[in-house]
Amino acid sequence: MKAIPELITLDQARAFFAKDRFAAGSGMIIEDAAPGHALVSLTLTDRHRNAVGGVMGGVLLTMADFACAVASHFGPGAGQHVSADAHMSFLNPCRGQTLRAEASRLKGGKKLSWYEVLIRDEGDTLIARAAFTMYRVD
């Protein structure tokens, strides 16, 4: 495994996670990356919508998972993590064209860390809340 620095620049985080072809290819952009924290944005297009015009639940879960991946790769306990468990509550429909997923580490351990992700639209409406358990594999 490649060692990951504890503190990096936003450009370095973006370059590293550009290899995450699904998230990057879906249009997700890392807006902020800090130890235990990440902010990811997405401008919605027709491909992010379901048959009735709402945002696909998979888009929201992917955003949350991506934000957790970014947040868990930097700072104390940094390393390669995978999602071991995820729970998402879909709270409100999205009323805009932009989403923001903000991941925050609640508790970190040697192998397991717990994160909360809040997804909001451009009107600051809470669209979804997710809880993740991340497992360090390196």
Side-chain angles (χ1 to χ4, degrees):
M1 292 277 161
K2 180 179 167 184
I4 299 170
E6 291 220 0
L7 296 173
I8 64 164
T9 67
L10 182 57
D11 286 339
Q12 289 170 320
R14 287 176 175 163
F16 181 84
F17 280 99
K19 295 177 276 187
D20 188 327
R21 292 180 299 277
F22 187 75
S26 295
M28 295 176 198
I29 298 169
I30 300 169
E31 301 291 347
D32 188 29
H37 178 265
L39 180 65
V40 172
S41 69
L42 174 66
T43 299
L44 298 167
T45 65
D46 287 342
R47 74 182 189 155
H48 299 115
R49 306 244 176 224
N50 60 26
V52 296
V55 177
M56 290 289 299
V59 171
L60 299 172
L61 190 55
T62 298
M63 282 189 77
D65 185 61
F66 186 53
C68 280
V70 174
S72 66
H73 271 70
F74 310 109
Q80 183 178 349
H81 290 75
V82 295
S83 299
D85 186 60
H87 299 270
M88 180 170 271
S89 297
F90 302 95
L91 304 170
N92 288 294
C94 177
R95 301 259 187 245
Q97 293 302 312
T98 305
L99 294 173
R100 296 178 330 277
E102 186 167 13
S104 301
R105 182 170 45 229
L106 302 175
K107 183 180 188 303
K110 284 185 175 184
K111 284 292 190 179
L112 294 175
S113 297
W114 293 266
Y115 286 81
E116 177 182 59
V117 183
L118 301 177
I119 300 177
R120 298 179 183 276
D121 66 12
E122 66 225 38
D124 209 34
T125 300
L126 185 59
I127 304 304
R129 180 197 173 274
F132 279 78
T133 302
M134 303 295 284
Y135 177 75
R136 184 175 174 164
V137 296
D138 61 352

